[in-house]
Amino acid sequence: IALGQIDSGIGGGSDTTSDVPINVSRPLRRRLLDANMARSAGDRLRAFRGFSPRELKPEFPGVGEPRTGKSMGQHCELMAQEWKIPRAEQDALAAASHHKAAAAYERGFFDALVVPFRSVTRDNILRPDTTIEKLATLKPAFDKLSGRGTLTAGNSTPLTDGASAVLLASEDFARKRGLPILAYLIDAQTSANDFVAGEGLLMAPTIAVSRLIDRQGMRLQDFALYEIHEAFAAQVLSTLRAW
């Protein structure tokens, strides 16, 4: 749009982890392929010679980062320990997040933003009745043995489903069609870091935001509203502490 190649477009995406594909084990996969290529019944039977019931165990999709072998939660746990983010602060932020989201739904904030799907009209992981006291009873989810783990199922988001889309357009396109302009996109920034060396897998946003506001000649205090979309309370707190 900025280059004048198009005047409008829909940006969107979706993610689903409630119905992820599950693979059969490698040995069973090899047998099934051999049986499929076999030219006779005897060859198909020979493909299953030496079969073991252990081969029936499915292989679940991995959520680990390929270079470190750690999941996002395990990386965030390391960040929480490095930045010394207490469990109590994480639980307090998680409880406040649930309460604020529930209040926003009740006052109709999301009415024009959320499209019902198969009778689901709001986040199905929302827990309006959660409390800091309830969250404090949960056990660590990622660092279970060291006694230092602080990330739990309550202050971390579960793997779930979601989708969103937004109409992007030039200002002329919107005005000619009488479309309400909800926001202007004035800048963007991406960044990366050497998380393999221990710089923190989820800390790249702190680098990107710092560069963006420096370029704009602004400060964090100049903003009336932040939208920080992250999976863990510890990540939000680490980000704010780093800023």
Side-chain angles (χ1 to χ4, degrees):
I1 296 172
L3 294 174
Q5 297 173 350
I6 60 174
D7 57 10
S8 63
I10 296 175
S14 64
D15 190 23
T16 175
T17 53
S18 66
D19 189 21
V20 294
I22 297 176
N23 299 323
V24 298
S25 67
R26 183 179 294 274
L28 181 56
R29 189 158 60 242
R30 184 69 263 168
R31 293 182 188 280
L32 293 172
L33 290 171
D34 290 344
N36 184 62
M37 292 185 291
R39 297 189 176 186
S40 66
D43 288 339
R44 282 192 285 274
L45 289 174
R46 277 189 287 274
F48 290 92
R49 184 181 298 165
F51 170 79
S52 169
R54 289 177 300 187
E55 297 175 19
L56 294 174
K57 183 179 179 180
E59 293 181 352
F60 292 93
V63 294
E65 207 291 322
R67 281 151 290 190
T68 64
K70 294 183 176 66
S71 68
M72 189 182 293
Q74 289 171 318
H75 274 284
C76 192
E77 183 69 76
L78 293 175
M79 285 168 44
Q81 294 175 13
E82 179 181 354
W83 287 88
K84 297 179 174 55
I85 307 297
R87 163 77 180 270
E89 286 189 24
Q90 297 176 47
D91 288 347
L93 180 64
S97 179
H98 282 286
H99 298 161
K100 290 176 180 177
Y105 273 111
E106 291 303 320
R107 69 173 185 266
F109 177 82
F110 290 109
D111 289 353
L113 298 176
V114 176
V115 178
F117 181 72
R118 293 186 177 179
S119 75
V120 177
T121 59
R122 61 171 60 187
D123 269 331
N124 57 11
I125 61 172
L126 185 61
R127 300 288 183 270
D129 60 345
T130 194
T131 64
I132 296 175
E133 291 74 22
K134 288 181 180 179
L135 293 173
T137 64
L138 300 176
K139 296 180 179 179
F142 301 102
D143 185 351
K144 303 177 182 180
L145 302 177
S146 74
R148 296 181 297 161
T150 57
L151 271 70
T152 70
N155 58 37
S156 307
T157 188
L159 295 172
T160 185
D161 303 340
S164 64
V166 61
L167 174 62
L168 304 168
S170 66
E171 188 171 6
D172 287 343
F173 178 92
R175 294 200 183 283
K176 286 179 181 178
R177 289 160 180 78
L179 299 174
I181 299 174
L182 304 179
Y184 288 90
L185 178 63
I186 64 169
D187 205 347
Q189 179 71 48
T190 60
S191 185
N193 60 5
D194 191 355
F195 61 86
V196 177
E199 293 184 359
L201 175 68
L202 308 178
M203 293 300 287
T206 64
I207 304 170
V209 171
S210 297
R211 291 175 178 172
L212 185 146
I213 61 176
D214 285 346
R215 183 168 59 248
Q216 290 291 334
M218 304 178 74
R219 303 174 304 156
L220 289 172
Q221 293 76 13
D222 294 330
F223 295 88
L225 178 67
Y226 301 98
E227 196 282 332
I228 303 177
H229 177 73
E230 300 297 354
F232 308 96
Q235 183 176 359
V236 175
L237 293 168
S238 297
T239 300
L240 294 176
R241 190 159 297 183
W243 284 342

